[in-house]
Amino acid sequence: MMKRDPVIILAEDDDGHAGLIYNTLKRAGVTNDILHFEDGAKTLNYLFKRGDDFHREDDVSHVLLLDIRMPLVDGKEVIRQVRQDKELQHIPIIVVSTTDDQGEIEDCYSLGCSKYVVKPIHYEEFTKVITQLGHFLLEDVIPKLDSNNQ
């Protein structure tokens, strides 16, 4: 059976940022499905197949684009739980946050994030950074997931 393309999970509580990230990734050529969750709890429910909402499928790879400061469950706790799970621990986790505090960044890497991207405040810089992220996903992350799916 042919496996589906990797799905990008966008965990972002700011709807404006989520829309901008989604649209910029699409313009950068990312054709993968992008699922948006506005808090860490819904993100974990999807990944761990909990609750009444829809859940991830077993034969689909995922990439997690994760904000740190989110309601209910913050991004650090999402990283912690995903990295502790044997089935999910391999998922690439890219933190996309306005926080540029070096301590926060180091915390995220020590918890197991794959990459940390600071969201700039100004629109032009924001779209430039997210376009670069899209190219990184297309060139480095998704091809590795696709080859693991074969």
Side-chain angles (χ1 to χ4, degrees):
M1 182 172 100
M2 184 72 173
K3 298 200 179 202
R4 292 200 8 239
D5 287 339
V7 171
I8 297 169
I9 300 166
L10 175 57
E12 169 64 68
D13 65 318
D14 183 308
D15 284 339
H17 284 183
L20 196 53
I21 291 168
Y22 179 91
N23 290 329
T24 304
L25 289 176
K26 291 300 182 183
R27 277 196 305 275
V30 175
T31 58
N32 301 66
D33 288 337
I34 300 174
L35 301 177
H36 174 226
F37 297 100
E38 60 274 348
D39 64 59
K42 288 181 179 157
T43 304
L44 290 171
N45 286 345
Y46 171 80
L47 286 169
F48 285 96
K49 303 177 184 178
R50 298 189 291 234
D52 296 330
D53 292 333
F54 71 107
H55 305 123
R56 70 178 170 85
E57 296 174 45
D58 289 328
D59 64 342
V60 177
S61 297
H62 292 82
V63 178
L64 179 54
L65 304 182
L66 180 67
D67 190 16
I68 291 299
R69 291 193 170 79
M70 290 187 298
L72 303 178
V73 177
D74 72 6
K76 288 183 186 179
E77 183 58 25
V78 171
I79 298 171
R80 199 175 284 115
Q81 288 189 36
V82 169
R83 288 297 179 242
Q84 290 173 352
D85 186 83
K86 287 201 182 328
E87 198 176 329
L88 300 174
Q89 63 189 6
H90 65 280
I91 291 176
I93 300 174
I94 301 169
V95 173
V96 184
S97 176
T98 54
T99 305
D100 61 0
D101 176 81
Q102 202 55 43
E104 288 275 344
I105 295 169
E106 288 170 12
D107 283 352
C108 290
Y109 277 115
S110 69
L111 288 169
C113 84
S114 312
K115 185 171 180 65
Y116 193 105
V117 176
V118 177
K119 293 187 279 194
I121 296 166
H122 299 292
Y123 174 81
E124 292 80 15
E125 281 297 305
F126 191 106
T127 56
K128 181 179 170 190
V129 165
I130 300 304
T131 298
Q132 291 169 342
L133 173 60
H135 294 158
F136 172 73
L137 289 171
L138 289 170
E139 294 163 15
D140 294 336
V141 178
I142 292 169
K144 289 177 185 156
L145 293 173
D146 282 338
S147 67
N148 291 341
N149 266 348
Q150 302 305 324

